[in-house]
Amino acid sequence: MHTQGVHSKSKGGALFLSKFISFPPSLWSEKLREISRGGYLLAARYHNHKKTWIGASMGDFLRESLWIRYVTSMYWSITTLTTVGYGDLHAENTREMIFDIVYMLFNLGLTAYLIGNMTNLVVHGTSRTRKFRDTIQAASSFAQRNQLPLRLQDQMLSHLCLKFRTDSEGLEQQETLDSLPKAIRSSISHFLFYSLVDKVYLFRGVSNDLLFQLVSEMKAEYFPPKEDVILQNEAPTDFYIIVSGAVDLLVFKNGGEQIVGEAKNGDLCGEIGVLCYRPQLFTVRTKRLSQLLRLNRTTFMNIIQANVGDGTIIMNNLLQHLKELKDPIMEGVLIETENMLACGVKSCVRLAELLKL
């Protein structure tokens, strides 16, 4: 009777201990508890308790407190998992030997998996840094070999550093947008930039359809401090809207550069060259880290041709803006633009008369 009571008590204690060990506060500790429970159940249900891994060192372990059995089971599991093997707890029968073999094989696989993942993380991080270092070295060698001015060298290195930073911190906004379907890309651009573009002087009074088409075609770009966005007298291929940051407007006079203006959030750069069919009037250079929206001239003109009424509104907004500036340079641009538009109107009238004839 006493033996049956001990056995029934041991089975109940083993079941309770197994439930206590299997309580999972985390995935890692859960695995340790599962293995500890398995090892303990092997010993508790073996017919000779003294010929078990826990009974060999503790004797009649079933009479010990639940806490001591729990700590001993966890101690055995951790020493086996970490391959320490102090020798105080070891397999005493065939069942435990088989269990230990499977456990240690699992340990080898887990260790190999962890080391492999850690190696991949380290290699991935170092490869990106190594590639960046090689790019910087190649750019520096190119600048020295061609004896580029220090200002251009600084712009090159600043641009490469900014690109590495945006790639590392997940700020490559345009790359993310380009990987999406056009409908999703347009919706995101509309959400991010529509309110800004709607306040630009050039697009006052135009239709919402035109604004939506323009925003969908704009490309967001980051520029580091003191980088040239537009060069004076270059061909007008793009114009920009400043989202954040600020830029200086410079002209080349008397053998040097002079700052003639500044543009901030919501201002335009390069629109006069694009709309007036003339080389860019200013060099546009960033004052600090800036985000700009770039719109290609060809894309812009194609959209305007499909919305003739809005195109007229845009040209009127430009002319009104040039009049409000009251700048000698802008007055000359205004006269040239008005003459160009007048010549265009006369040509259209003549063409209509010829078509009638």
Side-chain angles (χ1 to χ4, degrees), residues 10 13 40 86 88 94 96 136 152 154 164 217 270 330 332 340:
S10 66
Y40 178 81
Y86 292 115
D88 51 349
T94 306
E96 293 177 353
I136 291 293
L152 291 180
D154 292 340
F164 175 74
E217 297 297 334
M330 296 304 175
M340 179 186 66

Side-chain angles (χ1 to χ4, degrees), residues 227-232 247-250 269-270 282-286 292:
E227 179 171 341
D228 292 339
V229 180
I230 297 174
L231 294 178
Q232 185 180 6
V247 299
D248 284 328
L249 307 179
L250 304 97
C269 300
F282 310 104
T283 293
V284 179
R285 183 174 301 160
T286 56
L292 280 69

Side-chain angles (χ1 to χ4, degrees), residues 200-204 206 239 268 271 275 313-314 317-318:
V200 174
Y201 82 88
L202 196 64
F203 305 125
R204 292 173 185 165
V206 301
F239 69 89
L268 282 169
E271 80 282 7
L275 292 175
I313 295 175
I314 289 175
N317 290 336
L318 176 65

Side-chain angles (χ1 to χ4, degrees), residues 98-341:
I98 296 175
F99 182 81
D100 286 355
I101 290 173
V102 175
Y103 185 24
M104 286 185 282
L105 289 176
F106 165 77
N107 178 27
L108 290 175
L110 178 63
T111 304
Y113 174 78
L114 293 176
I115 293 176
N117 278 274
M118 292 174 64
T119 303
N120 286 334
L121 290 174
V122 173
V123 170
H124 181 70
T126 55
S127 62
R128 181 182 298 175
T129 305
R130 184 173 61 253
K131 183 179 179 181
F132 169 69
R133 185 171 58 248
D134 294 340
T135 303
I136 291 293
Q137 186 175 1
S140 300
S141 301
F142 172 81
Q144 294 176 2
R145 186 170 57 252
N146 294 276
Q147 298 181 352
L148 297 180
L150 291 177
R151 183 176 61 82
L152 291 180
Q153 294 184 32
D154 292 340
Q155 288 189 14
M156 289 174 57
L157 297 179
S158 297
H159 182 79
L160 294 175
C161 291
L162 178 62
K163 179 173 174 49
F164 175 74
R165 176 185 170 187
T166 55
D167 293 343
S168 301
E169 299 179 2
L171 298 177
E172 57 276 13
Q173 179 171 288
Q174 193 56 47
E175 289 79 355
T176 303
L177 290 176
D178 291 339
S179 64
L180 298 173
K182 182 175 176 57
I184 300 177
R185 188 168 63 246
S186 299
S187 299
I188 294 175
S189 298
H190 182 272
F191 175 78
L192 293 176
F193 306 120
Y194 183 87
S195 59
L196 174 69
V197 177
D198 187 37
K199 297 177 183 178
V200 174
Y201 82 88
L202 196 64
F203 305 125
R204 292 173 185 165
V206 301
S207 64
N208 293 330
D209 294 339
L210 177 71
L211 283 179
F212 185 85
Q213 296 175 40
L214 292 176
V215 170
S216 300
E217 297 297 334
M218 291 180 178
K219 310 294 183 183
E221 298 178 353
Y222 283 96
F223 291 88
K226 297 183 179 180
E227 179 171 341
D228 292 339
V229 180
I230 297 174
L231 294 178
Q232 185 180 6
N233 295 324
E234 74 173 357
T237 57
D238 306 280
F239 69 89
Y240 297 84
I241 301 174
I242 302 174
V243 179
S244 62
V247 299
D248 284 328
L249 307 179
L250 304 97
V251 294
F252 190 79
K253 284 184 177 182
N254 302 323
E257 293 180 336
Q258 298 180 7
I259 299 177
V260 296
E262 179 184 8
K264 298 181 180 179
N265 299 2
D267 292 339
L268 282 169
C269 300
E271 80 282 7
I272 296 176
V274 169
L275 292 175
C276 298
Y277 301 96
R278 58 178 299 152
Q280 295 290 1
L281 299 175
F282 310 104
T283 293
V284 179
R285 183 174 301 160
T286 56
K287 300 180 65 175
R288 52 183 177 269
L289 178 63
S290 304
Q291 183 185 22
L292 280 69
L293 290 178
R294 177 175 59 85
L295 183 60
N296 182 262
R297 172 185 174 179
T298 303
T299 303
F300 177 69
M301 291 303 177
N302 291 337
I303 295 175
I304 293 301
Q305 288 177 3
N307 300 269
V308 180
D310 290 325
T312 304
I313 295 175
I314 289 175
M315 289 304 300
N316 290 334
N317 290 336
L318 176 65
L319 296 177
Q320 183 64 31
H321 179 70
L322 294 178
K323 293 177 182 178
E324 293 176 354
L325 290 177
K326 297 180 179 181
D327 183 86
I329 300 177
M330 296 304 175
E331 289 179 358
V333 174
L334 176 62
I335 295 173
E336 292 180 5
T337 304
E338 290 178 339
N339 292 335
M340 179 186 66
L341 293 175

